[in-house]
Amino acid sequence: MTVSGETRTYNPIFIQLDKLPNETFLGKPYPNPFNPQTYISYKLKNESLVNISVYDMLGRLVKVLYNDNQSAGYYNVFWNGTDENGQQACSGTYIICMQTDDKRQIQKVLYLK
């Protein structure tokens, strides 16, 4: 670039992009068992509507952790043992369910008070 007779040279800019996942996958919650919260990692091969929810062992919805469109990539959500009303859930086994446009996956998690 030339400004008032000066020449400036800039170093190249390098941008590193992480590889996109080659599969849609719900990871294992960590820690498990947990108290006070557990992290759930997941990856999306393609852009998709994603719903991640917690259910009790009778199949009743406890809490929706995420429900929206997401681009392909790597993500995390966490569950702190509360229900939709912010009340502490009971100790016990729960099901984490991830539903995307083309897949449904589940993981079990144990919540200990």
Side-chain angles (χ1 to χ4, degrees), residues 20-108:
L20 291 176
N22 57 5
E23 66 177 331
T24 296
F25 182 75
L26 176 65
K28 294 182 186 248
Y30 179 82
N32 188 14
F34 77 96
N35 183 358
Q37 65 187 11
T38 189
Y39 292 88
I40 302 109
S41 62
Y42 60 101
K43 54 188 178 179
L44 302 173
K45 179 179 180 179
N46 301 309
E47 181 177 342
S48 180
L49 175 62
V50 179
N51 178 283
I52 300 177
S53 298
V54 179
Y55 295 89
D56 66 16
M57 292 305 289
L58 297 176
R60 297 177 294 205
L61 178 65
V62 175
K63 188 166 190 168
V64 175
L65 302 178
Y66 188 84
N67 188 34
D68 206 350
N69 281 308
Q70 281 187 316
S71 301
Y74 298 87
Y75 299 94
N76 292 299
V77 293
F78 74 91
W79 181 44
N80 61 2
T82 60
D83 64 16
E84 285 291 313
N85 299 317
Q87 301 296 314
Q88 284 299 134
C90 297
S91 292
T93 303
Y94 292 87
I95 302 295
I96 308 291
C97 179
M98 179 177 79
Q99 178 73 47
T100 63
D101 290 339
D102 61 350
K103 238 180 193 182
R104 181 181 177 123
Q105 297 180 7
I106 63 170
Q107 292 285 346
K108 287 184 183 178

Side-chain angles (χ1 to χ4, degrees), residues 1-11:
M1 177 171 168
T2 305
V3 178
S4 303
E6 292 181 28
T7 302
R8 293 185 185 185
T9 304
Y10 296 93
N11 292 328

